Amino acid sequence: MVQVNPDDPRYADLQMRGYNRRFVGAPGSVHVVSGTDEVVDVVNSAVRQGRRIAVRSGGHCAEGLVDNPEVDVVIDLSLMDSVSYDPAERAFAAQAGVRLGRLYHVLDMGWGVTVPGGACPEVGVGGHVTGGGHGVLSRLHGYVSDHLYGIEVVVVDDDGTARAVVATREPDDPNRDLWWAHTGGGGGNFGVVTRFWFRAPGADGTDPTTLLPRRPPRHVSAAAMWQWDDFDEESFAALLNNFMDWSARNSAPDTSTAALHAEVAVLHRDCGMLMLTGRVEPSVPGGTKLLDAFLSEVTAGLPEPGMTTSEDEPWLYKVLNVPDAGEAFGLEAARLRSKVKAAYLRKPLDAEQVRTVYRYLTDVDYGYPAAGLMIAAWGGRMNALAPADTAVPQRDSIMQLSLVNSWNDQDADEKHLTWIRLFYRDLFAATGGVPVPDDRTDGSYINWPDTDLLDPEWNTSGVPWSTIYYGDNYPKLQQIKARWDPRGVFRHALSIEPPQNPRQGAP
């Protein structure tokens, strides 16, 4: 283990390893650990000294949950990055500091398998998996957390003693509730996860090449792009409505289009670009025809695209070589400041909401190219389980929506934050400025945390942040919190509350 203090020249790198530079921590020490025993030692020491703990895996948290001046001790898991097959568990073991790119690479090269995780290779599995986690293969295979077989977690008992616990999804496992809490309950809530085991639900036998989804043979995608100058409000509404209608018709768990991942990305008019993208798993029979049919349906009645592209590349190469989005707008990725807001949609946006989207993305008083909206088609195997089967409650959504904004200039924080906050508030004005779980929306995604949901200025719905993220699963998560973290050692602005101590307002 390496302990890095503020007078160490390495401290600055560890202090700001998160990608969102709006947040900078000031921990008294950062502990770069190499194994579970070292994590136990650090936690024991911090608890004895009454020091607040935070854990970092990949450093991609969108809010200041780790990079927080109130945190005294940061446990950095970046050196815990082994991936292997565990024959005793008949599952693939990955330490919690593994980045997604490394996980994909080792699984692919070693066994020709993969997990349906996110598209950014630098994201750490520690937070990604525990918050649900999804990617371009999730309509076909489900959330990455649906493939979680077991976890190793360092927890703190009521007497203040840290210990490592293993929990699995086996029905007779006495620690099964701890496994369940990590299938979408979010990171930093119950302890320090040090290891994950992955096996596909229902997978049987001892051949490791059959225990996770097979990696696709190729990366096949197509995109249609337009210039904003080609669109007025009517044609813009047609684009969104065509996409949303397709998503609504193709969200069932048994949909024949599950092999297709689809999304529409619309950046502010100053960027000048609108883009529709489809990606398909080509080994599925009729996969490429699905892609052609999708593009044909969604572009029907629209202006002719100014550009169309298609890709057919090696799968792993494409997964590991994702272009940096910031560079497209002249932003320095190492200095990005950002804000993300999300919503699960059970029905398409209504006409007033579409008008709101158009108004914000064409606002001449706010001209900024890296601000926009993305909507991804949802469903398929992500909708196959019941809400209570895992901690992820959103199991009947047709789309996932996100508002995004990134910038470099610290002095412009208020301008850019205000734009995205007002956009989100007005988009969901009918339900208090947030996507409350009802017949149209189903809350938000904990892996894109948004502390505005705590703030009564921005959440006037009367529905607490916990319901927006966790729905009816929240009381069970609270009971698990009480069992496994009775002293409240592991906490942050959006952490699970003990049953007897609901948190009100902003932290």
Side-chain angles (χ1 to χ4, degrees), residues 127-386:
H128 186 66
V129 175
T130 55
H134 52 76
V136 298
L137 295 177
S138 289
R139 277 173 43 86
L140 186 61
H141 297 299
Y143 288 90
V144 67
S145 58
D146 295 344
H147 296 70
L148 182 63
Y149 173 75
I151 53 167
E152 179 184 68
V153 193
V154 174
V155 298
V156 177
D157 293 334
D158 199 27
D159 65 359
T161 302
R163 62 188 175 100
V165 176
V166 172
T168 72
R169 68 182 180 216
E170 295 296 338
D172 60 350
D173 189 330
N175 302 329
R176 190 177 189 275
D177 63 338
L178 188 61
W179 161 82
W180 184 91
H182 287 86
T183 60
N189 277 309
F190 308 96
V192 183
V193 180
T194 51
R195 192 181 310 271
F196 298 91
W197 284 269
F198 297 102
R199 188 203 305 164
D204 201 3
T206 59
D207 180 357
T209 66
T210 66
L211 299 179
L212 282 176
R214 296 297 297 175
R215 51 94 79 193
R218 306 283 295 176
H219 181 280
V220 176
S221 66
M225 288 166 277
W226 298 266
Q227 294 297 314
W228 260 108
D229 289 343
D230 297 329
F231 280 79
D232 57 15
E233 186 167 359
E234 183 179 356
S235 55
F236 175 79
L239 169 61
L240 288 195
N241 287 328
N242 286 356
F243 179 85
M244 293 189 294
D245 289 346
W246 186 94
S247 299
R249 296 193 309 271
N250 293 276
S251 63
D254 59 351
T255 179
S256 61
T257 63
L260 179 67
H261 171 84
E263 58 190 41
V264 59
V266 186
L267 297 170
H268 193 276
R269 193 178 192 100
D270 264 32
C271 172
M273 184 178 69
L274 305 88
M275 183 165 63
L276 175 70
T277 305
R279 300 175 183 87
V280 71
E281 215 286 32
S283 67
V284 174
T288 54
K289 290 183 179 180
L290 288 177
L291 185 57
D292 294 338
F294 160 75
L295 290 171
S296 177
E297 287 183 46
V298 179
T299 60
L302 299 179
E304 190 72 20
M307 180 185 301
T308 58
T309 64
S310 61
E311 292 183 343
D312 184 348
E313 297 187 279
W315 168 258
L316 189 60
Y317 168 82
K318 188 64 179 180
V319 168
L320 298 181
N321 292 276
V322 177
D324 180 76
E327 292 179 357
F329 308 106
L331 301 177
E332 298 177 43
R335 296 175 53 221
L336 282 183
R337 309 170 73 80
S338 66
K339 182 71 175 178
V340 181
K341 290 177 172 286
Y344 289 96
L345 304 182
R346 284 173 159 153
K347 292 183 179 179
L349 300 175
D350 62 28
E352 182 58 35
Q353 289 175 307
V354 172
R355 283 192 288 270
T356 297
V357 172
Y358 182 81
R359 175 163 55 91
Y360 273 90
L361 295 181
T362 59
D363 180 6
V364 295
D365 293 328
Y366 179 82
Y368 191 68
L373 167 143
M374 291 186 290
I375 307 177
W378 220 244
R381 297 307 298 173
M382 288 185 284
N383 285 351
L385 299 180

